[in-house]
Amino acid sequence: MNCEIINIGDELLIGQVVNTNAAWMAAELEKNNVHVAHVVTIADDLDDIKLSLDTACQRAQVVIITGGLGPTKDDITKQALCEYFGAKLVLHQPSFDNVADFFAKRGLPFSDVNRMQGMVPDCCEALLNKVGTAPGMWFERTDRIVVSLPGVPSEMQWLMTTYVLPKLQQRMGHEAILHKTILTCGIGESFLAAKIADWEDALPRNVRLAYLPDAGKVRLRLSAHGDNRNALQQLLDSELHKLLPQISEYIYGYDDDTFASVVGRLLLQRQQTLATAESCTGGTLAHRITEVAGASQYYKGGVVSYSNELKMNLLGVGRETLKTYGAVSEQTACEMALGCRERLQTDFAVATTGIAGPTGGTDEKPLGTVWIAVATPQGVSAQKYVFRTTRAQHQERTANQALFDLWQRLKTLQ
Amino acid sequence: MNCEIINIGDELLIGQVVNTNAAWMAAELEKNNVHVAHVVTIADDLDDIKLSLDTACQRAQVVIITGGLGPTKDDITKQALCEYFGAKLVLHQPSFDNVADFFAKRGLPFSDVNRMQGMVPDCCEALLNKVGTAPGMWFERTDRIVVSLPGVPSEMQWLMTTYVLPKLQQRMGHEAILHKTILTCGIGESFLAAKIADWEDALPRNVRLAYLPDAGKVRLRLSAHGDNRNALQQLLDSELHKLLPQISEYIYGYDDDTFASVVGRLLLQRQQTLATAESCTGGTLAHRITEVAGASQYYKGGVVSYSNELKMNLLGVGRETLKTYGAVSEQTACEMALGCRERLQTDFAVATTGIAGPTGGTDEKPLGTVWIAVATPQGVSAQKYVFRTTRAQHQERTANQALFDLWQRLKTLQ
């Protein structure tokens, strides 16, 4: 089943709001075997709405529209739908009662424009919105389904989950789609592609491979289409079985895993603890770790030792070390990690120290240079990297790399 | 000048990646007086790319495409552009050298697929990509401009800023456009609008005002259009001169300022220093502060005291305090801030402690509760907030609020 999403709203076209609705809807539809081929963002413009609707109905079986259902003058989606379907507005009593109730509960006056929110085109099925005021609308004409939903993310999501996805499921044939995403790090997209070219060329026609590169990582997404879900799962498993040995050293996880979640899972399993000592990443590493719910079970905390003074006072880095080798050096990184592990009393500690920029580079230590050290119960070691990027990306890439280095050490200690 | 954005990428259509490129591009284009009427997201599909390009060229003067320029097999935008323009690929020596240099610097072998990245259609102007490997491409046919850019946000942004926006500006004739954005906090959009209604109504015709609300903040963007840049600047200055006194108490900065940069500038001016003590924000606050280039001049560092043990050992929070009032309390927050200020020897310290979720709330301290304390040379005070959001948003909002609270204290100490 093919679907087109039309997001209506001037705020999307001037970049004021990022279109998160499209991603949420696409992910949910995809999980339900509904394939989104186009996402179109347009203004609150009557002609453009009708034209886009017409184009969408020519190439998709299901068209889902969001936005333009509010009570103000610039919200004209309902009018466009009436004109497109040759319908007129009629009262939908449950929606009307719902809006009236909404205003009564908040002690707000109930105006004519609010009254309008209880009206829907006479050719649609109204979808009662219990988390807001604007009802959803479900239209069918010949073999096309058109759905109109409010643009407020929470309302759109509730209406999708409550009505739209279950109703689409009912309509579906037996086509199934399965995905598996393999997360790799430490190898560039082109090298990865060259390494698995033979395997990729031999993939069955109903299995597609996509490369999704992002800041030093490459995600490989395998998608399989077919009639029989079990057979598809077996097919995917068998292809994975051939692929994985070829790139096992680069794989750190699957699907929604992150470095931080993978590291966290390992530490939790082994009941071990972690601390961080950050200079150039300035909290980014701790931030990534504590984004994972439950991180407090293995992450004790960390020190952001931005100044040399704090590197000495809080982590015990030697004054001589800083003087002789500088803050951005293997020696300082190692002493930071060791001091952190000892003073924060954890099994592992990771330290970062580098030159994130935009200034501060020298010939010997160019901008982007960073040392990452990992202290373990067995000792400490550090690695140098040079990330020639913006300051923000440098912090991000260093934090990623630090988690990857830690993960590699954790693996070898298994 | 009208523009259509085409974002290419299967990952966008299955909701794996949120389309942030479109919002960034639309905002930058809008600032340059280029109006985005359509954003279209499509798959890495040859026919669909050509068809969408054709449709876009029929309704927009400028078409900007992102994505599908990587070295792997699923990246087919270049092929589609060749077919659409009837062009063939030729070597672009600077881009080729750039790619070769990129691999040489990293000590990586240079493969045939990488070589391909130095090739561009013979009818385009190649835009040398100094922050990545895939060059941008600028096509012109009759009165239409088509630009193809990589989908990696940092590379797209660099190419837009370096080439595309300046080149578009040249085409716009002599029309100059100047912007000034005033950043306000602590007043809602409608109250702000009412407060400055007289001034807004009296604005000259060539000056436009836009309200850009976002999470408790409202940005006011003034845009002036005209022939003479100096005259425009004077006009903007004179309008600002009238506006600012009316809303001065709500203004925290201008243009690209953030809470972190504004706080940083104040500290730098006064040659004072800052440290952070974070529990629930887990590094997010330090991360925000160190995102600002030059933060090392006033930010000494911080402690992420995720465990109670570290709150005691690194910050000197009393065992009795934790036992009597709990980790999420006014007392603990204040002791964290005071201990941090004292041990890290700074003028100011900010502390956060709360329940970010998704679990851990109680009746007395519901999920989302957070205490933020600010220690100054004059003493310490704390404030309670309840942010009922996701874990990630809780960390973000708390970090923002902490910086805002600090900024307010800094102002009163002027």
Side-chain angles (χ1 to χ4, degrees):
Chain A
M1 203 183 256
N2 267 311
C3 177
E4 177 151 347
I5 296 172
I6 302 177
N7 302 118
I8 300 172
D10 291 345
E11 69 281 11
L12 297 166
L13 291 171
I14 62 162
Q16 194 173 348
V17 171
V18 174
N19 189 354
T20 55
N21 277 351
W24 188 91
M25 293 167 80
E28 290 303 307
L29 288 163
E30 185 71 19
K31 272 194 233 162
N32 284 275
N33 293 347
V34 179
H35 178 61
V36 177
H38 296 89
V39 177
V40 176
T41 309
I42 57 173
D44 296 287
D45 177 280
L46 198 62
D47 290 333
D48 217 355
I49 296 175
K50 288 190 286 180
L51 196 64
S52 300
L53 192 50
D54 201 43
T55 307
C57 283
Q58 282 167 40
R59 56 188 183 190
Q61 295 153 275
V62 181
V63 179
I64 308 182
I65 307 169
T66 67
L69 296 182
T72 53
K73 273 180 272 185
D74 57 339
D75 292 310
I76 51 175
T77 302
K78 212 143 58 178
Q79 187 188 338
L81 286 164
C82 277
E83 292 185 15
Y84 183 75
F85 286 108
K88 60 176 198 293
L89 290 178
V90 292
L91 184 79
H92 180 240
Q93 194 64 46
S95 289
F96 180 86
D97 294 344
N98 180 50
V99 180
D101 185 50
F102 183 93
F103 281 82
K105 269 190 184 147
R106 285 161 182 75
L108 298 170
F110 189 55
S111 68
D112 279 344
V113 286
N114 302 127
R115 225 162 245 124
M116 274 299 292
Q117 295 212 282
M119 308 284 280
V120 298
D122 56 6
C123 63
C124 81
E125 179 189 341
L127 311 174
L128 181 60
N129 179 355
K130 294 192 182 165
V131 296
T133 51
M137 291 165 271
W138 177 283
F139 300 83
E140 291 192 30
R141 187 154 76 173
T142 63
D143 57 345
R144 294 291 184 264
I145 295 166
V146 174
V147 184
S148 170
L149 303 172
V152 180
S154 58
E155 298 182 31
M156 177 278 290
Q157 291 176 16
W158 188 85
L159 288 163
M160 280 288 286
T161 310
T162 309
Y163 305 105
V164 183
L165 294 171
K167 281 169 81 77
L168 289 176
Q169 266 299 329
Q170 279 179 4
R171 298 303 173 90
M172 296 283 289
H174 297 290
E175 167 104 344
I177 302 179
L178 292 180
H179 300 280
K180 186 75 185 179
T181 305
I182 302 126
L183 312 174
T184 73
C185 186
I187 182 168
E189 185 181 4
S190 55
F191 296 98
L192 194 59
K195 227 176 160 58
I196 62 176
D198 291 346
W199 169 81
E200 186 178 356
D201 288 339
L203 277 175
R205 280 199 51 174
N206 63 331
V207 180
R208 261 179 81 176
L209 177 71
Y211 292 84
L212 310 170
D214 174 33
K217 297 175 281 185
V218 180
R219 289 175 294 161
L220 291 174
R221 193 187 62 230
L222 271 175
S223 307
H225 300 249
D227 291 336
N228 182 321
R229 182 170 280 268
N230 289 337
L232 275 187
Q233 189 61 60
Q234 279 177 17
L235 180 62
L236 263 190
D237 289 346
S238 113
E239 288 302 334
L240 280 172
H241 189 71
K242 287 181 238 167
L243 170 66
L244 301 188
Q246 300 180 40
I247 53 169
S248 60
E249 63 196 290
Y250 307 109
I251 300 172
Y252 68 88
Y254 298 91
D255 299 323
D256 295 328
D257 284 344
T258 63
F259 284 139
S261 73
V262 167
V263 161
R265 204 156 53 217
L266 271 181
L267 290 168
L268 203 58
Q269 277 166 12
R270 303 181 188 175
Q271 300 195 293
Q272 289 176 315
T273 55
L274 174 66
T276 52
E278 303 182 62
S279 184
C280 64
T281 46
T284 314
L285 178 55
H287 177 51
R288 286 281 157 266
I289 293 168
T290 61
E291 270 177 342
V292 180
S296 57
Q297 291 174 78
Y298 49 82
Y299 181 65
K300 277 201 188 176
V303 169
V304 180
S305 55
Y306 223 52
S307 67
N308 279 349
E309 188 186 328
L310 290 196
K311 287 184 186 75
M312 295 186 284
N313 295 350
L314 291 183
L315 296 169
V317 174
R319 186 178 296 275
E320 279 306 308
T321 307
L322 288 166
K323 208 172 145 190
T324 313
Y325 303 103
V328 180
S329 64
E330 181 173 11
Q331 291 78 3
T332 298
C334 287
E335 288 188 23
M336 284 171 71
L338 283 173
C340 180
R341 182 176 177 273
E342 193 185 302
R343 297 195 177 196
L344 276 63
Q345 296 175 25
T346 55
D347 299 298
F348 297 91
V350 190
T352 64
T353 179
I355 308 156
T359 58
T362 64
D363 282 351
E364 199 195 339
K365 294 175 185 173
L367 212 65
T369 304
V370 59
W371 280 94
I372 297 174
V374 179
T376 73
Q378 276 72 39
V380 67
S381 67
Q383 182 77 40
K384 186 172 99 166
Y385 302 91
V386 181
F387 300 129
R388 289 186 184 82
T389 58
T390 62
R391 180 181 177 88
Q393 287 173 315
H394 190 275
Q395 295 188 323
E396 209 54 58
R397 288 203 61 173
T398 303
N400 268 336
Q401 188 68 50
L403 287 165
F404 184 68
D405 288 1
L406 170 62
W407 174 72
Q408 287 199 309
R409 298 307 308 274
L410 281 169
K411 273 205 310 181
T412 61
L413 292 173
Q414 240 168 348
Chain B
M1 204 183 255
N2 266 311
C3 177
E4 176 151 346
I5 296 173
I6 302 177
N7 301 119
I8 300 172
D10 291 347
E11 70 279 12
L12 297 166
L13 291 171
I14 63 161
Q16 195 165 3
V17 170
V18 174
N19 189 355
T20 55
N21 277 351
W24 188 91
M25 292 166 81
E28 290 302 307
L29 288 163
E30 184 72 18
K31 270 195 240 163
N32 284 275
N33 222 6
V34 179
H35 177 62
V36 177
H38 296 90
V39 178
V40 176
T41 309
I42 56 173
D44 295 287
D45 177 280
L46 199 61
D47 290 333
D48 218 355
I49 296 174
K50 288 189 287 181
L51 196 65
S52 300
L53 192 49
D54 202 44
T55 306
C57 281
Q58 282 167 39
R59 57 189 181 188
Q61 294 153 274
V62 181
V63 179
I64 308 183
I65 307 169
T66 67
L69 296 182
T72 54
K73 281 174 212 169
D74 59 336
D75 292 310
I76 51 174
T77 302
K78 212 142 60 177
Q79 188 189 338
L81 286 163
C82 276
E83 293 185 15
Y84 183 75
F85 286 107
K88 60 176 198 293
L89 291 177
V90 291
L91 184 79
H92 179 241
Q93 194 64 45
S95 289
F96 180 86
D97 294 344
N98 179 51
V99 181
D101 185 51
F102 182 93
F103 281 82
K105 271 192 181 143
R106 286 160 180 77
L108 298 170
F110 189 55
S111 70
D112 278 345
V113 285
N114 301 127
R115 229 162 241 124
M116 274 300 292
Q117 296 213 281
M119 309 283 281
V120 299
D122 56 6
C123 63
C124 82
E125 178 188 342
L127 311 174
L128 182 60
N129 179 354
K130 294 192 180 164
V131 297
T133 52
M137 290 165 271
W138 177 284
F139 300 84
E140 292 192 28
R141 187 154 77 173
T142 62
D143 58 345
R144 293 293 183 266
I145 294 167
V146 173
V147 184
S148 169
L149 302 172
V152 180
S154 58
E155 298 183 29
M156 177 280 289
Q157 291 176 16
W158 189 85
L159 288 162
M160 280 289 285
T161 310
T162 310
Y163 304 106
V164 182
L165 295 171
K167 281 169 81 77
L168 289 176
Q169 266 299 325
Q170 277 179 7
R171 295 306 171 90
M172 311 267 293
H174 298 290
E175 166 108 339
I177 178 160
L178 292 181
H179 301 280
K180 187 73 186 177
T181 305
I182 301 125
L183 311 175
T184 73
C185 189
I187 181 168
E189 182 181 5
S190 55
F191 295 97
L192 193 60
K195 224 174 163 60
I196 63 177
D198 291 345
W199 168 82
E200 186 177 355
D201 288 340
L203 277 175
R205 281 199 50 177
N206 63 332
V207 179
R208 254 175 43 183
L209 177 70
Y211 291 84
L212 310 170
D214 173 35
K217 297 176 280 188
V218 180
R219 288 175 295 160
L220 290 174
R221 193 181 64 221
L222 270 175
S223 308
H225 300 249
D227 291 334
N228 182 321
R229 182 168 282 268
N230 288 338
L232 276 187
Q233 188 61 60
Q234 280 178 19
L235 180 62
L236 263 190
D237 289 347
S238 111
E239 288 303 333
L240 281 173
H241 188 73
K242 289 181 239 167
L243 169 66
L244 300 188
Q246 300 181 40
I247 54 169
S248 60
E249 63 196 290
Y250 307 108
I251 299 173
Y252 69 88
Y254 298 91
D255 299 322
D256 295 328
D257 284 344
T258 62
F259 283 139
S261 72
V262 167
V263 161
R265 204 155 52 220
L266 271 182
L267 291 169
L268 201 58
Q269 278 166 11
R270 303 179 189 177
Q271 300 195 293
Q272 288 177 318
T273 55
L274 174 66
T276 51
E278 302 182 62
S279 184
C280 64
T281 46
T284 314
L285 179 55
H287 176 52
R288 286 279 158 267
I289 293 168
T290 62
E291 270 177 342
V292 180
S296 57
Q297 291 175 76
Y298 48 84
Y299 180 63
K300 277 200 188 177
V303 168
V304 180
S305 55
Y306 223 53
S307 66
N308 278 350
E309 188 187 328
L310 291 196
K311 287 185 186 73
M312 295 186 283
N313 295 350
L314 292 183
L315 297 169
V317 174
R319 186 178 297 276
E320 278 307 307
T321 307
L322 288 166
K323 208 172 145 189
T324 313
Y325 304 102
V328 179
S329 64
E330 180 172 13
Q331 291 78 3
T332 297
C334 287
E335 287 189 23
M336 284 172 70
L338 284 172
C340 180
R341 182 176 176 276
E342 192 185 302
R343 296 196 178 196
L344 276 63
Q345 297 175 24
T346 54
D347 299 298
F348 297 91
V350 190
T352 65
T353 179
I355 308 156
T359 58
T362 63
D363 281 350
E364 198 195 338
K365 294 176 185 173
L367 212 65
T369 303
V370 59
W371 281 94
I372 297 173
V374 179
T376 74
Q378 276 72 37
V380 67
S381 66
Q383 182 77 39
K384 186 173 98 166
Y385 302 91
V386 181
F387 300 128
R388 289 186 181 82
T389 58
T390 62
R391 179 181 177 88
Q393 287 172 317
H394 190 274
Q395 294 188 325
E396 208 56 56
R397 287 203 61 174
T398 303
N400 265 335
Q401 188 67 51
L403 287 166
F404 185 69
D405 288 1
L406 172 62
W407 175 70
Q408 288 200 307
R409 297 306 308 275
L410 281 169
K411 274 204 310 180
T412 60
L413 293 172
Q414 243 167 345

